[in-house]
Amino acid sequence: MDTKTLCLGALSRADASGYEIKKAFEDGPLGHFHAASFGSIYPALNALDAEGLVACTEMAQEKRPDKKVYSITPRGRDTLARALMAPPAPDRVRSDFLFTLFLAHLLPAPRVGELIDARIAWYRDCLKQMESCDPTDRPAGAAFVHGLGVTLYRAAADYLTAHRADLLDAMAGEDRMVAE
Amino acid sequence: MDTKTLCLGALSRADASGYEIKKAFEDGPLGHFHAASFGSIYPALNALDAEGLVACTEMAQEKRPDKKVYSITPRGRDTLARALMAPPAPDRVRSDFLFTLFLAHLLPAPRVGELIDARIAWYRDCLKQMESCDPTDRPAGAAFVHGLGVTLYRAAADYLTAHRADLLDAMAGEDRMVAE
DNA sequence: GGTTGCATGTAAATGGTTACATGATTGT
DNA sequence: ACAATCATGTAACCATTTACATGCAACC
């Protein structure tokens, strides 16, 4: 799924500028399952405009730089729907955290504790933010994915909290090769 | 975290050829939180060899092509430990599945049902495979991550199973823009 | 006879990140 | 003063994926 489709998806929910789409992938819900940077969003938006899949309105603003607000066209909506009908590519996860924990025996125990604590704090922050917004006025799909996210983050935070001590205990009794 | 570090991590567990490392990232536990393809593994292994971080032994085999078995050197172990001490980059998830579900209102309901069913089946397959191998003889970190994986996949499968019907019901009562 | 598994590697193409360039405004 | 937020864009660079190249053995 390329950045063009991602932008189309974002614009299917509401008109937005490139800057706002980026924010949606940073703080918004999209960020939890996909990424996109300025360097990929702006070219994608221009390409989409050239293909007639989005329309662009220049908005002059006071005390702010000008904005280009994009809105999806009927043809854009069609293209998006078609792209969504394709069999989704398998999920791609890259987690340095998990990889590092997997090799915990190569690290000093306090460092492992730190890593886990930081991750628990991160999940709790996400959950606080996710639970603050009520999902009732959103489309069913968005509410569904939101619920899944909350469930998964909660399960992860709970697991880490419950088994943190076990891991550190097990490490204490293990043959280890620790960095200085 | 680049492919070189990934290979070092794989070799820290056991000696292996490039082909075997690839398999570990495909079927093995590593695959759940990182990816690596031939095109990145072989060059990484050669670079690692040139830097003296791994050693290579050519193994002639009967009825099989020759193998290059790599083993991590003390310096390689040191480099790996140092890399693991760096603050881990934030997780990067890209899930076309979740993105598609998020926009479920653009799809026909039966298609959404299919997508969810396929995902539940995938989780169940993974869980069957993960539960078949006992984690007691593995290092504590690997067992910990294994437990987290099982917990998360189970939670996801349960959520999808429990809320599948809710989503389809909610979609039936929604204003929708469905592809042909 | 075709596909899968074993086994290594290269080259082209892709796609995306990072950094740069610009500039006003608001907050510390 | 300095950093951050708002706002758009380009270009160099990077890493990885994909496809290609080769070849034998086993299985269906």
Side-chain angles (χ1 to χ4, degrees):
Chain A
M1 197 159 274
D2 57 9
T3 307
K4 273 158 61 174
T5 308
L6 259 21
C7 288
L8 243 22
L11 292 175
S12 78
R13 308 196 68 222
D15 293 354
S17 64
Y19 189 84
E20 287 163 348
I21 292 173
K22 168 77 191 313
K23 270 204 308 180
F25 279 103
E26 227 168 42
D27 319 308
L30 290 316
H32 294 280
F33 42 86
H34 255 292
S37 61
F38 285 131
S40 58
I41 290 173
Y42 285 124
L45 250 15
N46 285 327
L48 252 15
D49 196 10
E51 294 168 54
L53 304 179
V54 301
C56 174
T57 315
E58 236 132 323
M59 304 265 279
Q61 292 185 123
E62 283 164 38
K63 317 218 172 192
R64 288 256 167 282
D66 288 1
K67 232 190 205 187
K68 285 189 180 179
V69 177
Y70 293 89
S71 54
I72 193 166
T73 63
R75 280 190 50 221
R77 228 165 245 285
D78 207 70
T79 302
L80 174 58
R82 229 177 287 281
L84 295 177
M85 287 294 283
D91 286 7
R92 217 161 273 187
V93 179
R94 24 194 58 207
S95 174
D96 286 6
F97 168 74
L98 257 15
F99 187 77
T100 303
L101 264 202
F102 190 79
L103 302 173
H105 55 284
L106 301 173
L107 294 173
R111 175 72 183 145
V112 174
E114 264 174 45
L115 248 23
I116 294 175
D117 291 340
R119 182 50 73 108
I120 292 170
W122 184 84
Y123 282 132
R124 296 222 191 284
D125 279 356
C126 278
L127 282 166
K128 214 192 311 176
Q129 198 205 308
M130 286 166 88
E131 279 157 354
S132 70
C133 60
D134 90 310
T136 44
D137 55 347
R138 281 191 278 184
F144 185 84
V145 172
H146 180 264
L148 178 58
V150 169
T151 300
L152 258 21
Y153 283 174
R154 193 129 54 191
D158 287 349
Y159 180 91
L160 293 180
T161 304
H163 295 90
R164 193 200 116 111
D166 295 345
L167 172 59
L168 297 188
D169 286 351
M171 282 179 65
E174 226 175 22
D175 249 3
R176 318 244 312 295
M177 317 209 85
V178 181
E180 59 280 48
Chain B
M1 198 158 274
D2 56 9
T3 308
K4 273 160 59 175
T5 308
L6 259 23
C7 287
L8 243 22
L11 293 175
S12 78
R13 308 194 68 222
D15 293 353
S17 64
Y19 189 85
E20 286 162 349
I21 292 175
K22 168 78 191 312
K23 269 204 309 178
F25 279 103
E26 227 169 41
D27 319 309
L30 290 315
H32 294 280
F33 42 87
H34 255 294
S37 61
F38 286 131
S40 57
I41 289 172
Y42 285 124
L45 250 14
N46 285 327
L48 252 14
D49 196 9
E51 294 169 54
L53 304 178
V54 301
C56 175
T57 315
E58 235 132 322
M59 305 265 278
Q61 292 184 122
E62 281 164 38
K63 316 218 173 191
R64 289 256 167 283
D66 287 0
K67 231 190 206 189
K68 286 188 180 178
V69 177
Y70 294 89
S71 54
I72 193 165
T73 62
R75 280 190 50 220
R77 229 166 245 285
D78 207 69
T79 302
L80 174 59
R82 228 178 287 280
L84 294 178
M85 287 295 282
D91 286 7
R92 216 161 276 182
V93 180
R94 25 193 60 208
S95 173
D96 286 7
F97 169 73
L98 256 14
F99 187 78
T100 303
L101 263 203
F102 189 80
L103 302 173
H105 54 285
L106 300 172
L107 294 173
R111 174 72 184 145
V112 173
E114 264 174 44
L115 247 23
I116 294 176
D117 290 340
R119 182 50 73 108
I120 292 171
W122 184 84
Y123 282 132
R124 296 221 190 286
D125 278 355
C126 278
L127 282 166
K128 215 192 307 175
Q129 198 204 308
M130 287 166 87
E131 279 157 354
S132 69
C133 60
D134 90 310
T136 43
D137 55 348
R138 280 191 279 185
F144 185 84
V145 171
H146 180 264
L148 178 59
V150 169
T151 300
L152 258 22
Y153 284 174
R154 193 130 54 192
D158 287 350
Y159 180 92
L160 293 180
T161 305
H163 294 91
R164 191 200 116 112
D166 295 344
L167 172 60
L168 298 188
D169 286 351
M171 282 179 65
E174 226 175 21
D175 250 3
R176 318 245 312 294
M177 315 208 83
V178 180
E180 63 278 45

